[in-house]
Structures are given as structure tokens and as C-alpha cells.
Amino acid sequence: MTSNSAASSSLGGRTAADRSEPLTKQESWTHASEGYQQRIGACTVHGTARLVEIINELSPFTEDSYVLDNGAGTGSILIKVKEKSPATKILATDISPGMLERVDALKLPNVSTQVEDASTLAGLPDDTFTHVLTSFMIQFTPDPHVAVKAMHRVLAPNQVVGIAIWGTAIDHQIIHEKACARLNPDYVAPRPETVKSWRSEPDHRDAMAKAGFKDVGTEAVRMPFYCRDADHFLEYWFDSKNPVPKMFHDDWTAHGGDLAALRAECGKIVQEEYDGGKDIFMGATLGWGRK
Ligand SMILES: C[S@@+](CC[C@H](N)C(=O)[O-])C[C@H]1O[C@@H](n2cnc3c(N)ncnc32)[C@H](O)[C@@H]1O
């Protein structure tokens, strides 16, 4: 991702961790669950499809597998696992009951749901799953290293883990930062992830190895976030209930920024530099390994 890590640690007297805190709150994600799949889920599925492909090559999903989809959201990973192996048993966990209701509504056989905080996975026993998977969630937890360690704990020995995280270039954030810089060059936009997070492939490999995983590999993926036109992007970025854009906009207005001006500036950037919305991508860093 772009710049600003040093400066963003002391904006307006608050730390980056303070700013990220709402993104771990279950009620904000439950609020966002309606409409999540159509916009963000439709984008993250490009990363989760590739992750599931890689994991299936390492350790094929079968009727004897027991898969954890940790921070499942509306089911981006588990839907792809089911396409590979309809009989596979899956537990979908999330901090948000509203997200899990969307998974339940899919009525997929052998899929159960359970509210769990990824920082502890306290309700899950040690050495249980044949595959422990997660996508685009751990960076919102207070310390993602702790979340990765919890995944290591619940994975059965010699079985496989797959961890997708937000990658180094997220066009939404780049567009936002550029628009803010045009309107107020002194403003430093916050980062959505917590301060102990990482995004790059080397950092992802290090973090997974540090948690105890072996044979760790990574891959960077660009996930298309297709928009019909600039307004389609602006509708998502400014009008959706997703807590990530909301955090960016709340911070901008809290520092005296004009939201209408920001919206107009973002629209211009999308029009001029992103083919009117057709060329917007979110980066993903995929990681895998074995216990
Ligand atoms: C960006 S969404 C990703 C959802 C899905 N895995 C995907 O790839 O589309 C982040 C998800 O993480 C969940 N989440 C946030 N903090 C969490 C925590 N501490 N423990 C478990 N889930 C959490 C949210 O409720 C939300 O469903």
C-alpha cells in the first residue's frame, strides 16, 4: 500500500490502532452484511478461488475433510470448497452473526456456523481441522499474529492452512488518498488494518513461519472490482454500509474535510485514471503452509 505509515501513527492525537478498532466490531460488519456479497464478496472470490485451488492441490478436499472458514463473511471460501467437493464438512465462523445468517441462508449441506472471535477461536478444540482457511479478515484483528497462532492451534498435525490477506495495492484506498491529497495536502489518511498487520508476500511468509507453519508459500493476486461507470464506484465507496470506507470518510470529516468535495474528486480520478471504473483492482496476498 502507499506511504504514510509513520505519519499515520499519530494523526489527531489518536493512534492507528484506535482508528482501526471499529473494524473488529461485530455490529459494524453485521450492519454491512446486506449487500456485502454483491460488491466486496464478488471481488474477494477471485482471491479465495485461487487460494482454494492451491490448497486443493496440496491436500484435496474430500468427504473426509473438515474445513474451517474463519471470518467467513458471506461464504466466499466455503462456496469455492463446495464446488470442489460437495460432501466436505465445513464450519464457518465469524464475529458477526449477521454475516453467518447469510451463510445459513445458502442452505449448503454439511455447513454449520458458529460465532467465534478469530483472535482466540476459544470455542474450537486443538488439532481438529484438516484445512484451516481464512480470507481478508485477520488484518482487522488487534494482533493478526495472535490470530494466525490460533489457526495453527486448531489445525490437525501435518494438515494445511490457507490465509488470504489484503495485498499491497488496493485501488480504493489509492483513489481515496489521491483525492484527499488534492483537496488537503496536509491530511494523512488512516490505514484500515491494525498496526501489527502486514500486507506483503515476504511479511506474510515470515508471519506464517513465526506461527509455526512449515513449507510456507505465497502468491500475489489482483482481484477485479468491476464498476459499470464512475457513479457505480461512488455508490459503493460512499453509500455502502461497509465499515472500511465508512472509517475513511468519518476520519476525513472529523478532520474538517468536505465529503461532497471528496466524492467529486474521487469520481474525477476514477473517470480519468481507472477507465471510468472498469479498471479497479484490489490486491490480495495468498499464503499457505502445513502444520
Ligand atoms: C472483509 S470481510 C471478509 C469476508 C470473507 N472471508 C471474504 O473473503 O469475503 C471481513 C470479515 O471478517 C469478520 N471479522 C472481523 N473481525 C473479526 C474477528 N475478530 N473474528 C472473526 N471474524 C471477524 C467480519 O465480520 C467480516 O465478515
Side-chain angles (χ1 to χ4, degrees):
M1 182 58 45
T2 52
S3 65
N4 294 343
S5 50
S8 68
S9 63
S10 62
L11 183 67
R14 292 167 302 146
T15 66
D18 290 336
R19 280 199 305 277
S20 300
E21 196 196 354
L23 303 185
T24 68
K25 286 196 177 142
Q26 58 106 332
E27 59 272 27
S28 56
W29 286 104
T30 289
H31 200 50
S33 62
E34 187 192 349
Y36 178 90
Q37 185 57 29
Q38 287 87 332
R39 296 306 273 136
I40 294 295
C43 177
T44 58
V45 75
H46 295 281
T48 56
R50 178 65 188 140
L51 183 69
V52 165
E53 203 63 54
I54 292 166
I55 298 297
N56 191 53
E57 275 170 29
L58 288 173
S59 174
F61 298 103
T62 71
E63 60 187 15
D64 297 323
S65 306
Y66 187 24
V67 176
L68 174 65
D69 183 355
N70 180 21
T74 49
S76 183
I77 286 181
L78 66 89
I79 290 166
K80 288 293 155 192
V81 172
K82 280 285 168 190
E83 285 172 14
K84 292 273 175 221
S85 172
T88 289
K89 189 176 162 196
I90 302 176
L91 176 64
T93 57
D94 201 286
I95 204 160
S96 157
M99 286 290 190
L100 293 176
E101 277 169 25
R102 312 259 159 196
V103 173
D104 289 333
L106 297 172
K107 297 196 185 314
L108 294 169
N110 294 320
V111 174
S112 52
T113 57
Q114 186 170 318
V115 172
E116 283 291 336
D117 185 340
S119 293
T120 59
L121 296 176
L124 305 181
D126 297 355
D127 302 333
T128 298
F129 298 92
T130 59
H131 304 76
V132 170
L133 308 177
T134 190
S135 55
F136 310 109
M137 178 275 289
I138 61 167
Q139 288 146 308
F140 300 131
T141 65
D143 184 348
H145 292 283
V146 171
V148 176
K149 198 76 193 145
M151 292 176 68
H152 185 273
R153 178 182 66 75
V154 302
L155 183 64
N158 208 35
Q159 304 298 333
V160 296
V161 68
I163 302 178
I165 57 173
W166 297 107
T168 51
I170 309 286
D171 284 340
H172 302 55
Q173 188 172 0
I174 293 167
I175 293 162
H176 175 77
E177 287 176 355
K178 196 176 266 192
C180 291
R182 285 186 185 176
L183 295 167
N184 178 0
D186 296 329
Y187 173 76
V188 179
R191 296 170 70 87
E193 70 269 39
T194 48
V195 280
K196 291 180 182 166
S197 290
W198 58 92
R199 289 193 183 196
S200 72
E201 285 189 80
D203 288 349
H204 202 28
R205 279 196 290 276
D206 286 352
M208 291 183 67
K210 200 172 146 199
F213 293 111
K214 57 194 182 194
D215 305 331
V216 171
T218 55
E219 181 178 306
V221 172
R222 290 177 83 217
M223 305 183 292
F225 185 86
Y226 177 84
C227 298
R228 288 185 305 275
D229 51 32
D231 280 343
H232 193 202
F233 173 79
L234 296 175
E235 272 163 34
Y236 165 69
W237 190 243
F238 287 88
D239 303 335
S240 92
K241 294 173 182 158
N242 190 292
V244 177
K246 189 173 174 338
M247 178 279 298
F248 280 122
H249 299 144
D250 287 352
D251 194 78
W252 170 250
T253 51
H255 288 80
D258 177 340
L259 207 53
L262 186 67
R263 186 177 184 124
E265 212 54 52
C266 285
K268 275 189 229 161
I269 293 168
V270 169
Q271 195 57 44
E272 289 159 12
E273 300 178 29
Y274 292 86
D275 193 16
K278 295 179 187 65
D279 199 23
I280 296 176
F281 289 83
M282 299 178 103
T285 302
L286 312 182
W288 56 89
R290 208 173 267 280
K291 177 166 170 181

